[in-house]
């Protein structure tokens, strides 16, 4: 770490990083060192089983001061986030799922992403779906189904779990009044909790918020698709939750 210009990159399974929590806090974040944590297998892992599900990282990382936490929606954004992480100059984590990419075109050269800047993918007036990482594309598919039924659902690719894009999230929530957060992480202390904390901090009132994520239980063995369906964070689950919020 003392070598000038050297940026350490820790490439590790999300579940394995749990064993090094003290080192993350004291050896990296307390000293504000420029360490990049590349977290593979964030979310459900399917065939690897209950011990390997990386469903706690958004919660345990966002609690640490000086840490930046982000998750890409696809392989192109992953490329840009890794580049951004190396240029960041402090503790930063990039969390991505097990499996193949979406299949989007990849930029010839990686580019910087402004820290804490979310991306409005779809405008909507009936409900806002704020998704992170692997949940962005299922949210887009759900929004399309809702549009076909006359429901205007906006979709925000939050990109950063810490720091959140306060301006975009608070402005949209104040306008739309109904917010659905979606994450492939435990609900306790995760992305949805961060959004609720943000609204409280900025005094946003008169809105309805529902969080989709993983319940307070250990996740059993099944395929990734089966687990997302079981926990209501696949396209169908997001669609049904958003539709119910609008109808209520």
């Amino acid at each position: 770490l003392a070598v000038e210009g050297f940026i350490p990159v820790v490439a590790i399974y999300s579940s394995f990083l749990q064993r090094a929590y003290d080192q993350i806090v004291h050896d990296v974040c307390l000293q504000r060192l420029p360490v990049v944590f590349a977290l593979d297998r964030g979310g459900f892992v399917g065939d690897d089983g209950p011990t390997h599900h990386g469903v706690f990282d958004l919660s345990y990382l966002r609690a640490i001061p000086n840490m930046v936490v982000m998750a890409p929606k696809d392989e192109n954004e992953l490329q840009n986030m890794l580049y951004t992480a190396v240029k960041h100059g402090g503790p930063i984590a990039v969390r991505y799922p097990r499996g193949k990419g979406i299949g989007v075109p990849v930029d010839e050269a990686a580019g910087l992403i402004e820290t804490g800047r979310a991306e409005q993918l779809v405008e909507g007036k009936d409900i806002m779906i704020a998704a992170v990482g692997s949940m962005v594309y299922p949210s887009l598919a759900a929004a399309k189904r809702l549009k076909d039924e006359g429901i205007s659902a906006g979709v925000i690719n939050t990109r950063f779990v810490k720091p959140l894009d306060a301006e975009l999230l608070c402005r949209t929530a104040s306008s739309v009044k109904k917010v659905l957060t979606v994450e492939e992480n435990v609900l306790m202390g995760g992305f949805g909790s961060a959004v609720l904390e943000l609204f409280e901090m900025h005094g946003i009132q008169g809105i309805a918020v529902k969080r989709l994520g993983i319940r307070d239980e250990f996740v059993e063995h099944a395929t990734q698709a089966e687990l997302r369906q079981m926990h209501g964070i696949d396209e169908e689950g997001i669609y049904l939750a958003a539709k119910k919020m609008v109808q209520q």
Side-chain angles (χ1 to χ4, degrees):
L1 293 178
V3 180
E4 185 177 355
F6 174 68
I7 304 296
V9 177
V10 181
I12 189 171
Y13 284 10
S14 167
S15 57
F16 293 175
L17 191 62
Q18 296 164 186
R19 309 172 189 179
Y21 198 69
D22 188 61
Q23 284 72 30
I24 303 170
V25 174
H26 293 122
D27 298 341
V28 178
C29 291
L30 184 63
Q31 303 176 66
R32 204 186 291 265
L33 295 178
V35 178
V36 177
F37 294 94
L39 301 189
D40 188 10
R41 283 162 166 74
F44 297 131
V45 297
D47 294 340
D48 287 342
T51 58
H52 282 52
H53 294 304
V55 296
F56 304 105
D57 51 36
L58 299 185
S59 300
Y60 70 68
L61 288 176
R62 63 174 285 263
I64 308 175
N66 298 328
M67 176 66 81
V68 171
V69 184
M70 52 187 174
K73 69 180 185 297
D74 54 39
E75 57 268 44
N76 188 54
E77 196 162 69
L78 172 59
Q79 168 186 256
N80 293 332
M81 283 187 176
L82 286 171
Y83 181 76
T84 300
V86 170
K87 297 290 186 180
H88 175 63
I92 189 166
V94 185
R95 187 243 212 190
Y96 49 94
R98 177 185 183 181
K100 60 184 181 181
I102 302 296
V104 301
V106 177
D107 297 336
E108 185 174 334
L112 284 172
I113 299 174
E114 182 182 349
T115 301
R117 181 64 64 193
E119 179 184 32
Q120 180 92 51
L121 298 176
V122 180
E123 298 281 348
K125 59 179 176 31
D126 294 324
I127 188 171
M128 175 183 78
I129 303 174
V132 64
S134 59
M135 296 292 95
V136 172
Y137 279 93
S139 296
L140 286 171
K144 185 178 184 303
R145 290 177 60 182
L146 292 165
K147 181 179 180 181
D148 293 340
E149 297 182 15
I151 297 174
S152 177
V155 178
I156 291 177
N157 169 27
T158 315
R159 297 199 289 203
F160 291 86
V161 174
K162 182 184 180 183
L164 290 170
D165 190 333
E167 191 280 327
L168 177 59
L169 290 171
C170 291
R171 171 170 50 82
T172 307
S174 297
S175 172
V176 176
K177 303 298 185 184
K178 295 185 178 183
V179 178
L180 179 67
T181 67
V182 194
E183 62 191 297
E184 195 169 333
N185 186 81
V186 292
L187 288 169
M188 287 194 172
F191 165 62
S193 294
V195 172
L196 286 172
E197 292 165 14
L198 179 76
F199 292 159
E200 182 273 333
M201 186 184 307
H202 288 267
I204 306 299
Q205 299 179 351
I207 63 173
V209 181
K210 180 174 178 58
R211 298 173 300 141
L212 295 184
I214 299 165
R215 300 179 289 273
D216 185 25
E217 60 189 43
F218 286 107
V219 179
E220 291 303 317
H221 181 282
T223 68
Q224 289 171 295
E226 288 171 338
L227 290 170
R228 287 166 183 151
Q229 187 274 328
M230 289 164 56
H231 287 266
I233 57 173
D234 60 351
E235 175 190 328
E236 179 73 9
I238 298 167
Y239 159 77
L240 290 174
K243 183 175 181 179
K244 184 175 181 180
M245 283 192 76
V246 172
Q247 290 176 336
Q248 288 178 337

